[in-house]
Amino acid sequence: MTGVRMEDRKRVRLAFWMIFAAALLVRCIGFAAIPTGVNQDEAMAGVDAWALSRYGTDRFGIRLPVHFTAWRYGQMSVLLSYVMVPFIRLFGFGIFSVRLPMLLVSFGSVALVYLVGKRLFSVRLALGMMLLAAINPWHFMQSRWSLDCNLFPHVFLLAFYLLLVGLEKRAFLYFSMVFFGLTLYCYGIAAYSVPLFLAFLAGWYLWKRQLRLREVFCCILIFLAVALPEILVLAINFFGLPTIETPLFTLSYFPESVRSRDILLLNFSFPQLWRNLRAMFRTCILQTPGSLFNALPAFGPMYHISIPFLLTGMVCFLRDLLREKDMARRTGLTALWGFFLLGVWVGLTTFEVNVNRVNIIFFPLIFLCGYGIAAVLRRFPRAGMPVCAVYGTCFLLFLGTYFTAFAEDIGRYFNVDFLEAVQKADSQAGHESLYITGHMDWQYNVYMAEILTQYACEIDAAYYQERTNVTGGRELLPYSRRYHFVNVDYLTEAEAGGLYLVHVSELEKLPFAYRILGETGCYCLLTPGP
């Protein structure tokens, strides 16, 4: 009997490492090259991380900010950029260092899905859920580019697992509070969702006498100790208080912020609640086409074939939760249902969510999808091979599309032509001033043009702040005199010695004669003159 159990353990370990290795392999293939180019938020996170690695400030010179200024009118969470810092110091500034942290974190979450599934269900079901995570389109796509908010579900999943373990070993319970606190530095949405999740579970544990009041109190203290700086930033901006600088960090006030408009709780209306509900249902259940950044239309974030399994899993899971008599098991299942409801809450209270904004829901959906598949297979055992074959085919087709059609199409939205063109413009000798269009080919945004220029041209933070005239070993005019980010519609005259980078569609709008020096993709480099 012991030998059989040992043999089973070997098979489980083999299956675990095979799934993990396969997930690792496919996610590593060309991760720094596909998506080609760089997303504007990804570039901003990288530029701020580079400044932190050199000066201990963001690119604006704010010392160890708790929250980034980012676009001024819209801010950005800091944890992903702080995690980038050691990789930038080790490998230098570039797309490899910027994307590597999300890749590594995603590897870890594939294993975490197994560990959570094993604790809540069975080894066999845990392996199935791990396999679902390994081939999941959402999980695959978010692992290969560094968007700050996509760190949120991974950190939360780690905290969730530690919480489950902590019901048996209290040290892990307190350790989980550290990571729950860190979620507030992953994505602003965590501030009005994670505390509610913890309050829900605390009430359940106290009611069922699985935790004592002093243990809950200790958890609250640890969570607040970690999350307090971010909470204070939120309070400063809610009440319009001035920035606070401390020896350890800076709590910034953002006078131009418009982020509060995205939160239903601060701008409640029933029509908006209905629109939020529809957006969540379309994104998470129907998986209708959205941004190419997040999901391939033909597959959705979880494959369209998962829809019946998701619905089955929700119904069967809730039924089994209500029937469960074993209190320890029921507590774990309640925690997972709370995880799912947390995602629903985010979808309802956040402005018309897309995949990025409601990313916290996808791990519980993976668990529920696996649960639904298991329920179907219990009733129809012979369906196992066809289900595996269909999912395997979907994954192969997804990879084939991702590395071919998607790789070609995403370049436009990851600003490939602009990045190459602005690098060429910046390297041109004999021109002290650059005039750079805000036309990104897929949208018009001068702020985006500026951050992509800073990323592509590796503009030093000290130069950007005009504390020096040297960047990249070159002595130039001060930043504000060299780099001009313009809307061509409002140009009235030309600078004689200036160099202009414009989109081809803007040539006819120029109010002066010009001479084209070169073309890169859909961009032209030109100077005023006959």
Side-chain angles (χ1 to χ4, degrees):
M1 195 72 176
T2 304
V4 172
R5 287 199 298 269
M6 181 63 70
E7 186 66 26
D8 287 343
R9 291 194 194 101
K10 289 181 179 179
R11 289 174 180 171
V12 168
R13 283 197 296 268
L14 178 61
F16 173 89
W17 287 111
M18 286 178 64
I19 295 171
F20 187 79
L24 186 153
L25 177 63
V26 295
R27 282 160 177 75
C28 280
I29 298 172
F31 82 94
I34 304 173
T36 185
V38 67
N39 171 267
Q40 60 276 8
D41 288 325
E42 184 178 36
M44 185 176 297
V47 169
D48 278 327
W50 188 36
L52 285 167
S53 72
R54 301 194 69 182
Y55 305 111
T57 72
D58 67 3
R59 69 186 190 282
F60 294 103
I62 299 172
R63 184 176 179 276
L64 298 176
V66 169
H67 209 90
F68 285 139
T69 304
W71 303 101
R72 297 183 187 271
Y73 61 86
Q75 291 69 59
M76 180 181 284
S77 299
V78 299
L79 186 58
L80 182 56
S81 290
Y82 278 102
V83 174
M84 288 178 190
V85 168
F87 296 99
I88 290 174
R89 293 184 68 89
L90 185 62
F91 300 112
F93 179 61
I95 196 65
F96 180 86
S97 303
V98 168
R99 288 184 177 169
L100 187 57
M102 273 305 305
L103 188 71
L104 296 177
V105 167
S106 297
F107 293 160
S109 67
V110 171
L112 280 172
V113 167
Y114 168 78
L115 294 174
V116 170
K118 179 182 175 183
R119 182 159 289 274
L120 293 179
F121 308 111
S122 66
V123 168
R124 186 175 181 180
L125 188 48
L127 287 171
M129 291 171 171
M130 180 186 183
L131 183 58
L132 277 179
I135 66 172
N136 178 265
W138 162 77
H139 192 282
F140 180 90
M141 293 185 72
Q142 59 79 43
S143 72
R144 295 170 60 88
W145 64 296
S146 285
L147 188 63
D148 62 319
C149 63
N150 279 336
L151 190 60
F152 178 31
H154 301 284
V155 176
F156 188 93
L157 183 64
L158 174 57
F160 181 79
Y161 171 69
L162 293 172
L163 176 73
L164 296 178
V165 177
L167 292 175
E168 298 174 7
K169 302 175 182 179
R170 288 296 182 261
F172 288 91
L173 175 67
Y174 302 136
F175 195 38
S176 74
M177 294 300 122
V178 174
F179 289 96
F180 279 123
L182 287 175
T183 60
L184 272 68
Y185 302 93
C186 297
Y187 196 20
I189 282 173
Y192 58 87
S193 58
V194 173
L196 287 178
F197 169 81
L198 294 177
F200 164 73
L201 286 189
W204 173 269
Y205 293 152
L206 288 171
W207 179 37
K208 298 300 181 180
R209 298 183 179 179
Q210 293 182 307
L211 289 178
R212 293 189 290 270
L213 187 60
R214 67 179 183 183
E215 292 172 327
V216 172
F217 185 69
C218 286
C219 288
I220 293 172
L221 288 179
I222 295 170
F223 176 80
L224 287 177
V226 176
L228 187 59
E230 178 66 19
I231 294 172
L232 290 175
V233 168
L234 296 175
I236 285 170
N237 285 274
F238 184 80
F239 294 107
L241 302 176
T243 293
I244 299 174
E245 295 185 22
T246 77
L248 297 178
F249 44 72
T250 301
L251 310 170
S252 301
Y253 172 57
F254 308 110
E256 302 173 51
S257 177
V258 297
R259 284 300 192 194
S260 62
R261 298 177 189 174
D262 294 340
I263 305 173
L264 183 68
L265 301 175
L266 301 179
N267 305 276
F268 184 81
S269 74
F270 284 106
Q272 188 60 56
L273 176 62
W274 174 244
R275 288 193 292 271
N276 290 355
L277 176 61
R278 286 190 302 171
M280 178 179 63
F281 187 76
R282 288 197 304 265
T283 299
C284 302
I285 305 300
L286 299 182
Q287 305 180 56
T288 54
S291 170
L292 191 62
F293 296 168
N294 304 310
L296 305 186
F299 302 94
M302 295 190 66
Y303 300 119
H304 298 112
I305 60 166
S306 296
I307 294 174
F309 295 124
L310 276 173
L311 298 175
T312 301
M314 290 176 192
V315 173
C316 292
F317 184 90
L318 186 57
R319 178 202 64 194
D320 295 344
L321 171 61
L322 296 175
R323 291 178 177 177
E324 183 60 54
K325 301 299 182 183
D326 183 277
M327 189 49 61
R329 176 172 167 75
R330 190 175 185 184
T331 294
L333 297 180
T334 299
L336 182 57
W337 190 249
F339 193 169
F340 168 68
L341 292 180
L342 167 66
V344 174
W345 168 258
V346 168
L348 291 177
T349 56
T350 307
F351 182 80
E352 299 179 25
V353 292
N354 57 16
V355 171
N356 291 341
R357 291 190 168 194
V358 75
N359 55 26
I360 191 63
I361 204 172
F362 286 106
F363 277 125
L365 287 182
I366 289 170
F367 288 116
L368 290 172
C369 183
Y371 202 85
I373 292 173
V376 170
L377 295 185
R378 280 195 297 270
R379 189 171 180 84
F380 306 102
R382 294 184 179 179
M385 288 302 294
V387 168
C388 290
V390 170
Y391 269 101
T393 301
C394 284
F395 184 52
L396 292 176
L397 291 173
F398 167 78
L399 290 180
T401 305
Y402 182 89
F403 287 109
T404 55
F406 170 81
E408 294 179 9
D409 295 341
I410 197 61
R412 181 186 179 202
Y413 301 102
F414 271 52
N415 313 294
V416 169
D417 285 353
F418 180 85
L419 293 167
E420 184 179 351
V422 80
Q423 282 181 321
K424 288 183 179 179
D426 193 50
S427 64
Q428 289 283 328
H431 301 277
E432 292 189 327
S433 297
L434 299 181
Y435 290 81
I436 301 167
T437 180
H439 197 310
M440 295 291 100
D441 193 39
W442 61 283
Q443 68 167 280
Y444 212 106
N445 192 320
V446 292
Y447 297 105
M448 189 186 301
E450 182 171 22
I451 194 61
L452 291 173
T453 298
Q454 291 178 20
Y455 174 88
C457 302
E458 298 188 10
I459 293 175
D460 186 86
Y463 175 71
Y464 173 58
Q465 298 159 34
E466 300 194 352
R467 294 191 287 113
T468 177
N469 287 345
V470 176
T471 179
R474 299 180 299 164
E475 186 167 356
L476 306 170
L477 287 178
Y479 178 85
S480 60
R481 291 174 57 193
R482 174 169 173 80
Y483 296 97
H484 306 272
F485 300 93
V486 298
N487 185 328
V488 170
D489 291 339
Y490 297 100
L491 283 178
T492 57
E493 58 184 12
E495 180 184 335
L499 187 64
Y500 288 75
L501 179 66
V502 301
H503 192 267
V504 290
S505 65
E506 298 175 306
L507 291 175
E508 61 185 20
K509 299 179 181 179
L510 293 174
F512 53 83
Y514 56 83
R515 180 167 55 91
I516 295 178
L517 302 180
E519 297 184 16
T520 300
C522 54
Y523 290 92
C524 294
L525 196 60
L526 55 88
T527 58

